[in-house]
PDB file of all heavy atoms in Angstrom:
ATOM      1  N   GLY A 161      14.021 -11.618  -2.619  1.00  0.00           N
ATOM      2  CA  GLY A 161      14.562 -11.529  -3.974  1.00  0.00           C
ATOM      3  C   GLY A 161      14.017 -10.390  -4.762  1.00  0.00           C
ATOM      4  O   GLY A 161      14.754  -9.629  -5.414  1.00  0.00           O
ATOM      5  N   SER A 162      12.694 -10.227  -4.715  1.00  0.00           N
ATOM      6  CA  SER A 162      12.059  -9.100  -5.403  1.00  0.00           C
ATOM      7  C   SER A 162      12.502  -7.754  -4.814  1.00  0.00           C
ATOM      8  O   SER A 162      12.780  -6.804  -5.539  1.00  0.00           O
ATOM      9  CB  SER A 162      10.543  -9.249  -5.343  1.00  0.00           C
ATOM     10  OG  SER A 162       9.927  -8.131  -5.957  1.00  0.00           O
ATOM     11  N   GLU A 163      12.601  -7.704  -3.479  1.00  0.00           N
ATOM     12  CA  GLU A 163      12.991  -6.458  -2.854  1.00  0.00           C
ATOM     13  C   GLU A 163      14.418  -6.074  -3.205  1.00  0.00           C
ATOM     14  O   GLU A 163      14.738  -4.874  -3.345  1.00  0.00           O
ATOM     15  CB  GLU A 163      12.836  -6.568  -1.341  1.00  0.00           C
ATOM     16  CG  GLU A 163      11.395  -6.638  -0.864  1.00  0.00           C
ATOM     17  CD  GLU A 163      10.661  -5.307  -1.034  1.00  0.00           C
ATOM     18  OE1 GLU A 163      10.200  -5.027  -2.172  1.00  0.00           O
ATOM     19  OE2 GLU A 163      10.546  -4.561  -0.058  1.00  0.00           O
ATOM     20  N   GLN A 164      15.304  -7.044  -3.370  1.00  0.00           N
ATOM     21  CA  GLN A 164      16.668  -6.743  -3.795  1.00  0.00           C
ATOM     22  C   GLN A 164      16.688  -6.097  -5.168  1.00  0.00           C
ATOM     23  O   GLN A 164      17.444  -5.144  -5.450  1.00  0.00           O
ATOM     24  CB  GLN A 164      17.507  -8.005  -3.788  1.00  0.00           C
ATOM     25  CG  GLN A 164      17.839  -8.541  -2.401  1.00  0.00           C
ATOM     26  CD  GLN A 164      18.520  -9.886  -2.460  1.00  0.00           C
ATOM     27  OE1 GLN A 164      18.979 -10.332  -3.502  1.00  0.00           O
ATOM     28  NE2 GLN A 164      18.549 -10.570  -1.316  1.00  0.00           N
ATOM     29  N   LEU A 165      15.819  -6.570  -6.041  1.00  0.00           N
ATOM     30  CA  LEU A 165      15.702  -5.995  -7.378  1.00  0.00           C
ATOM     31  C   LEU A 165      15.139  -4.571  -7.295  1.00  0.00           C
ATOM     32  O   LEU A 165      15.665  -3.649  -7.947  1.00  0.00           O
ATOM     33  CB  LEU A 165      14.787  -6.882  -8.238  1.00  0.00           C
ATOM     34  CG  LEU A 165      14.613  -6.453  -9.694  1.00  0.00           C
ATOM     35  CD1 LEU A 165      15.935  -6.363 -10.430  1.00  0.00           C
ATOM     36  CD2 LEU A 165      13.674  -7.448 -10.391  1.00  0.00           C
ATOM     37  N   GLN A 166      14.105  -4.367  -6.453  1.00  0.00           N
ATOM     38  CA  GLN A 166      13.525  -3.032  -6.324  1.00  0.00           C
ATOM     39  C   GLN A 166      14.521  -2.068  -5.707  1.00  0.00           C
ATOM     40  O   GLN A 166      14.551  -0.883  -6.057  1.00  0.00           O
ATOM     41  CB  GLN A 166      12.260  -3.103  -5.467  1.00  0.00           C
ATOM     42  CG  GLN A 166      11.211  -4.117  -5.869  1.00  0.00           C
ATOM     43  CD  GLN A 166      10.883  -4.113  -7.353  1.00  0.00           C
ATOM     44  OE1 GLN A 166      10.757  -3.036  -7.958  1.00  0.00           O
ATOM     45  NE2 GLN A 166      10.749  -5.295  -7.914  1.00  0.00           N
ATOM     46  N   ARG A 167      15.365  -2.568  -4.815  1.00  0.00           N
ATOM     47  CA  ARG A 167      16.352  -1.684  -4.158  1.00  0.00           C
ATOM     48  C   ARG A 167      17.302  -1.006  -5.165  1.00  0.00           C
ATOM     49  O   ARG A 167      17.774   0.106  -4.965  1.00  0.00           O
ATOM     50  CB  ARG A 167      17.142  -2.444  -3.108  1.00  0.00           C
ATOM     51  CG  ARG A 167      17.991  -1.543  -2.214  1.00  0.00           C
ATOM     52  CD  ARG A 167      18.658  -2.351  -1.121  1.00  0.00           C
ATOM     53  NE  ARG A 167      17.753  -2.850  -0.108  1.00  0.00           N
ATOM     54  CZ  ARG A 167      17.222  -2.108   0.870  1.00  0.00           C
ATOM     55  NH1 ARG A 167      17.548  -0.817   0.956  1.00  0.00           N
ATOM     56  NH2 ARG A 167      16.414  -2.650   1.749  1.00  0.00           N
ATOM     57  N   ARG A 168      17.552  -1.704  -6.278  1.00  0.00           N
ATOM     58  CA  ARG A 168      18.449  -1.171  -7.270  1.00  0.00           C
ATOM     59  C   ARG A 168      17.759  -0.162  -8.211  1.00  0.00           C
ATOM     60  O   ARG A 168      18.420   0.580  -8.906  1.00  0.00           O
ATOM     61  CB  ARG A 168      19.039  -2.307  -8.114  1.00  0.00           C
ATOM     62  CG  ARG A 168      19.841  -3.294  -7.269  1.00  0.00           C
ATOM     63  CD  ARG A 168      20.554  -4.319  -8.126  1.00  0.00           C
ATOM     64  NE  ARG A 168      21.521  -3.730  -9.034  1.00  0.00           N
ATOM     65  CZ  ARG A 168      22.420  -4.420  -9.710  1.00  0.00           C
ATOM     66  NH1 ARG A 168      22.477  -5.754  -9.568  1.00  0.00           N
ATOM     67  NH2 ARG A 168      23.259  -3.835 -10.526  1.00  0.00           N
ATOM     68  N   LEU A 169      16.422  -0.154  -8.205  1.00  0.00           N
ATOM     69  CA  LEU A 169      15.709   0.639  -9.201  1.00  0.00           C
ATOM     70  C   LEU A 169      14.716   1.627  -8.592  1.00  0.00           C
ATOM     71  O   LEU A 169      14.463   2.664  -9.208  1.00  0.00           O
ATOM     72  CB  LEU A 169      14.953  -0.305 -10.157  1.00  0.00           C
ATOM     73  CG  LEU A 169      15.835  -1.254 -10.983  1.00  0.00           C
ATOM     74  CD1 LEU A 169      14.972  -2.328 -11.623  1.00  0.00           C
ATOM     75  CD2 LEU A 169      16.633  -0.493 -12.033  1.00  0.00           C
ATOM     76  N   ALA A 170      14.124   1.294  -7.475  1.00  0.00           N
ATOM     77  CA  ALA A 170      13.082   2.134  -6.923  1.00  0.00           C
ATOM     78  C   ALA A 170      13.645   3.436  -6.351  1.00  0.00           C
ATOM     79  O   ALA A 170      14.787   3.490  -5.927  1.00  0.00           O
ATOM     80  CB  ALA A 170      12.333   1.370  -5.817  1.00  0.00           C
ATOM     81  N   PRO A 171      12.828   4.474  -6.313  1.00  0.00           N
ATOM     82  CA  PRO A 171      13.297   5.747  -5.737  1.00  0.00           C
ATOM     83  C   PRO A 171      13.468   5.609  -4.216  1.00  0.00           C
ATOM     84  O   PRO A 171      12.930   4.694  -3.582  1.00  0.00           O
ATOM     85  CB  PRO A 171      12.155   6.724  -6.067  1.00  0.00           C
ATOM     86  CG  PRO A 171      10.955   5.873  -6.239  1.00  0.00           C
ATOM     87  CD  PRO A 171      11.460   4.580  -6.838  1.00  0.00           C
ATOM     88  N   ASP A 172      14.204   6.559  -3.640  1.00  0.00           N
ATOM     89  CA  ASP A 172      14.466   6.479  -2.207  1.00  0.00           C
ATOM     90  C   ASP A 172      13.217   6.438  -1.350  1.00  0.00           C
ATOM     91  O   ASP A 172      13.202   5.786  -0.305  1.00  0.00           O
ATOM     92  CB  ASP A 172      15.318   7.703  -1.767  1.00  0.00           C
ATOM     93  CG  ASP A 172      16.719   7.667  -2.349  1.00  0.00           C
ATOM     94  OD1 ASP A 172      17.162   6.571  -2.763  1.00  0.00           O
ATOM     95  OD2 ASP A 172      17.396   8.708  -2.367  1.00  0.00           O
ATOM     96  N   ILE A 173      12.159   7.069  -1.799  1.00  0.00           N
ATOM     97  CA  ILE A 173      10.927   7.134  -1.001  1.00  0.00           C
ATOM     98  C   ILE A 173      10.297   5.760  -0.801  1.00  0.00           C
ATOM     99  O   ILE A 173       9.560   5.514   0.143  1.00  0.00           O
ATOM    100  CB  ILE A 173       9.897   8.103  -1.640  1.00  0.00           C
ATOM    101  CG1 ILE A 173       8.817   8.472  -0.613  1.00  0.00           C
ATOM    102  CG2 ILE A 173       9.316   7.540  -2.922  1.00  0.00           C
ATOM    103  CD1 ILE A 173       7.941   9.602  -1.078  1.00  0.00           C
ATOM    104  N   TYR A 174      10.631   4.811  -1.683  1.00  0.00           N
ATOM    105  CA  TYR A 174      10.145   3.446  -1.548  1.00  0.00           C
ATOM    106  C   TYR A 174      10.613   2.831  -0.231  1.00  0.00           C
ATOM    107  O   TYR A 174       9.942   1.965   0.335  1.00  0.00           O
ATOM    108  CB  TYR A 174      10.667   2.625  -2.735  1.00  0.00           C
ATOM    109  CG  TYR A 174      10.171   1.187  -2.814  1.00  0.00           C
ATOM    110  CD1 TYR A 174       8.989   0.876  -3.461  1.00  0.00           C
ATOM    111  CD2 TYR A 174      10.898   0.125  -2.254  1.00  0.00           C
ATOM    112  CE1 TYR A 174       8.548  -0.455  -3.561  1.00  0.00           C
ATOM    113  CE2 TYR A 174      10.481  -1.176  -2.347  1.00  0.00           C
ATOM    114  CZ  TYR A 174       9.294  -1.456  -3.014  1.00  0.00           C
ATOM    115  OH  TYR A 174       8.862  -2.764  -3.086  1.00  0.00           O
ATOM    116  N   TRP A 175      11.749   3.312   0.291  1.00  0.00           N
ATOM    117  CA  TRP A 175      12.368   2.749   1.491  1.00  0.00           C
ATOM    118  C   TRP A 175      12.222   3.706   2.674  1.00  0.00           C
ATOM    119  O   TRP A 175      12.984   3.617   3.642  1.00  0.00           O
ATOM    120  CB  TRP A 175      13.841   2.437   1.249  1.00  0.00           C
ATOM    121  CG  TRP A 175      14.016   1.569   0.039  1.00  0.00           C
ATOM    122  CD1 TRP A 175      14.462   1.955  -1.213  1.00  0.00           C
ATOM    123  CD2 TRP A 175      13.720   0.185  -0.049  1.00  0.00           C
ATOM    124  NE1 TRP A 175      14.466   0.879  -2.048  1.00  0.00           N
ATOM    125  CE2 TRP A 175      14.017  -0.237  -1.354  1.00  0.00           C
ATOM    126  CE3 TRP A 175      13.253  -0.761   0.872  1.00  0.00           C
ATOM    127  CZ2 TRP A 175      13.833  -1.544  -1.789  1.00  0.00           C
ATOM    128  CZ3 TRP A 175      13.082  -2.072   0.446  1.00  0.00           C
ATOM    129  CH2 TRP A 175      13.367  -2.452  -0.862  1.00  0.00           C
ATOM    130  N   GLN A 176      11.267   4.595   2.611  1.00  0.00           N
ATOM    131  CA  GLN A 176      11.062   5.551   3.680  1.00  0.00           C
ATOM    132  C   GLN A 176       9.620   5.472   4.176  1.00  0.00           C
ATOM    133  O   GLN A 176       8.726   5.048   3.449  1.00  0.00           O
ATOM    134  CB  GLN A 176      11.358   6.988   3.200  1.00  0.00           C
ATOM    135  CG  GLN A 176      12.788   7.200   2.739  1.00  0.00           C
ATOM    136  CD  GLN A 176      13.001   8.524   2.031  1.00  0.00           C
ATOM    137  OE1 GLN A 176      12.067   9.339   1.925  1.00  0.00           O
ATOM    138  NE2 GLN A 176      14.203   8.766   1.542  1.00  0.00           N
ATOM    139  N   ARG A 177       9.390   5.824   5.419  1.00  0.00           N
ATOM    140  CA  ARG A 177       8.059   5.870   5.977  1.00  0.00           C
ATOM    141  C   ARG A 177       7.144   6.740   5.111  1.00  0.00           C
ATOM    142  O   ARG A 177       7.597   7.806   4.692  1.00  0.00           O
ATOM    143  CB  ARG A 177       8.131   6.438   7.403  1.00  0.00           C
ATOM    144  CG  ARG A 177       6.856   6.281   8.226  1.00  0.00           C
ATOM    145  CD  ARG A 177       7.039   6.914   9.600  1.00  0.00           C
ATOM    146  NE  ARG A 177       8.143   6.352  10.339  1.00  0.00           N
ATOM    147  CZ  ARG A 177       8.025   5.240  11.118  1.00  0.00           C
ATOM    148  NH1 ARG A 177       6.873   4.620  11.201  1.00  0.00           N
ATOM    149  NH2 ARG A 177       9.077   4.789  11.769  1.00  0.00           N
ATOM    150  N   PRO A 178       5.934   6.295   4.798  1.00  0.00           N
ATOM    151  CA  PRO A 178       5.231   5.126   5.304  1.00  0.00           C
ATOM    152  C   PRO A 178       5.359   3.879   4.419  1.00  0.00           C
ATOM    153  O   PRO A 178       4.510   2.983   4.483  1.00  0.00           O
ATOM    154  CB  PRO A 178       3.765   5.608   5.325  1.00  0.00           C
ATOM    155  CG  PRO A 178       3.681   6.456   4.076  1.00  0.00           C
ATOM    156  CD  PRO A 178       5.042   7.148   3.966  1.00  0.00           C
ATOM    157  N   ASN A 179       6.404   3.818   3.619  1.00  0.00           N
ATOM    158  CA  ASN A 179       6.563   2.691   2.710  1.00  0.00           C
ATOM    159  C   ASN A 179       7.420   1.590   3.357  1.00  0.00           C
ATOM    160  O   ASN A 179       7.274   1.337   4.540  1.00  0.00           O
ATOM    161  CB  ASN A 179       7.096   3.195   1.379  1.00  0.00           C
ATOM    162  CG  ASN A 179       6.124   4.181   0.732  1.00  0.00           C
ATOM    163  OD1 ASN A 179       4.944   3.944   0.612  1.00  0.00           O
ATOM    164  ND2 ASN A 179       6.666   5.347   0.363  1.00  0.00           N
ATOM    165  N   HIS A 180       8.291   0.964   2.643  1.00  0.00           N
ATOM    166  CA  HIS A 180       8.980  -0.235   3.151  1.00  0.00           C
ATOM    167  C   HIS A 180      10.121   0.165   4.087  1.00  0.00           C
ATOM    168  O   HIS A 180      11.090   0.787   3.670  1.00  0.00           O
ATOM    169  CB  HIS A 180       9.504  -1.086   1.989  1.00  0.00           C
ATOM    170  CG  HIS A 180       8.406  -1.652   1.153  1.00  0.00           C
ATOM    171  ND1 HIS A 180       8.598  -2.737   0.320  1.00  0.00           N
ATOM    172  CD2 HIS A 180       7.075  -1.337   1.046  1.00  0.00           C
ATOM    173  CE1 HIS A 180       7.471  -3.017  -0.273  1.00  0.00           C
ATOM    174  NE2 HIS A 180       6.536  -2.184   0.139  1.00  0.00           N
ATOM    175  N   LEU A 181      10.019  -0.288   5.324  1.00  0.00           N
ATOM    176  CA  LEU A 181      11.043   0.014   6.336  1.00  0.00           C
ATOM    177  C   LEU A 181      12.021  -1.114   6.520  1.00  0.00           C
ATOM    178  O   LEU A 181      13.064  -0.953   7.159  1.00  0.00           O
ATOM    179  CB  LEU A 181      10.361   0.316   7.686  1.00  0.00           C
ATOM    180  CG  LEU A 181       9.330   1.467   7.687  1.00  0.00           C
ATOM    181  CD1 LEU A 181       8.792   1.674   9.091  1.00  0.00           C
ATOM    182  CD2 LEU A 181       9.944   2.751   7.148  1.00  0.00           C
ATOM    183  N   ARG A 182      11.686  -2.306   6.005  1.00  0.00           N
ATOM    184  CA  ARG A 182      12.567  -3.473   6.212  1.00  0.00           C
ATOM    185  C   ARG A 182      12.274  -4.506   5.147  1.00  0.00           C
ATOM    186  O   ARG A 182      11.194  -4.500   4.503  1.00  0.00           O
ATOM    187  CB  ARG A 182      12.354  -4.082   7.598  1.00  0.00           C
ATOM    188  CG  ARG A 182      10.989  -4.676   7.794  1.00  0.00           C
ATOM    189  CD  ARG A 182      10.760  -5.088   9.226  1.00  0.00           C
ATOM    190  NE  ARG A 182      11.151  -4.077  10.189  1.00  0.00           N
ATOM    191  CZ  ARG A 182      10.455  -2.997  10.464  1.00  0.00           C
ATOM    192  NH1 ARG A 182       9.280  -2.778   9.842  1.00  0.00           N
ATOM    193  NH2 ARG A 182      10.878  -2.105  11.329  1.00  0.00           N
ATOM    194  N   VAL A 183      13.234  -5.420   4.981  1.00  0.00           N
ATOM    195  CA  VAL A 183      13.079  -6.592   4.111  1.00  0.00           C
ATOM    196  C   VAL A 183      13.120  -7.833   4.989  1.00  0.00           C
ATOM    197  O   VAL A 183      14.040  -8.006   5.778  1.00  0.00           O
ATOM    198  CB  VAL A 183      14.197  -6.658   3.052  1.00  0.00           C
ATOM    199  CG1 VAL A 183      14.066  -7.924   2.223  1.00  0.00           C
ATOM    200  CG2 VAL A 183      14.139  -5.421   2.154  1.00  0.00           C
ATOM    201  N   PHE A 184      12.093  -8.677   4.852  1.00  0.00           N
ATOM    202  CA  PHE A 184      12.032  -9.905   5.601  1.00  0.00           C
ATOM    203  C   PHE A 184      12.670 -11.057   4.836  1.00  0.00           C
ATOM    204  O   PHE A 184      12.144 -11.480   3.815  1.00  0.00           O
ATOM    205  CB  PHE A 184      10.580 -10.285   5.933  1.00  0.00           C
ATOM    206  CG  PHE A 184       9.926  -9.455   6.989  1.00  0.00           C
ATOM    207  CD1 PHE A 184       9.127  -8.367   6.662  1.00  0.00           C
ATOM    208  CD2 PHE A 184      10.120  -9.753   8.330  1.00  0.00           C
ATOM    209  CE1 PHE A 184       8.514  -7.604   7.628  1.00  0.00           C
ATOM    210  CE2 PHE A 184       9.501  -8.995   9.326  1.00  0.00           C
ATOM    211  CZ  PHE A 184       8.709  -7.916   8.991  1.00  0.00           C
ATOM    212  N   GLU A 185      13.802 -11.530   5.329  1.00  0.00           N
ATOM    213  CA  GLU A 185      14.294 -12.791   4.822  1.00  0.00           C
ATOM    214  C   GLU A 185      13.307 -13.891   5.221  1.00  0.00           C
ATOM    215  O   GLU A 185      12.551 -13.738   6.179  1.00  0.00           O
ATOM    216  CB  GLU A 185      15.689 -13.088   5.408  1.00  0.00           C
ATOM    217  CG  GLU A 185      16.756 -12.097   4.987  1.00  0.00           C
ATOM    218  CD  GLU A 185      17.000 -12.060   3.492  1.00  0.00           C
ATOM    219  OE1 GLU A 185      16.849 -13.111   2.825  1.00  0.00           O
ATOM    220  OE2 GLU A 185      17.367 -10.995   2.974  1.00  0.00           O
TER     221      GLU A 185
END
Side-chain angles (χ1 to χ4, degrees):
S162 177
E163 290 290 81
Q164 288 172 15
L165 183 58
Q166 308 312 318
R167 190 175 291 282
R168 300 186 62 168
L169 298 167
D172 291 343
I173 196 170
Y174 184 88
W175 307 104
Q176 299 170 3
R177 192 182 301 274
N179 300 310
H180 294 199
L181 303 182
R182 65 188 48 76
V183 176
F184 285 97
E185 297 297 329

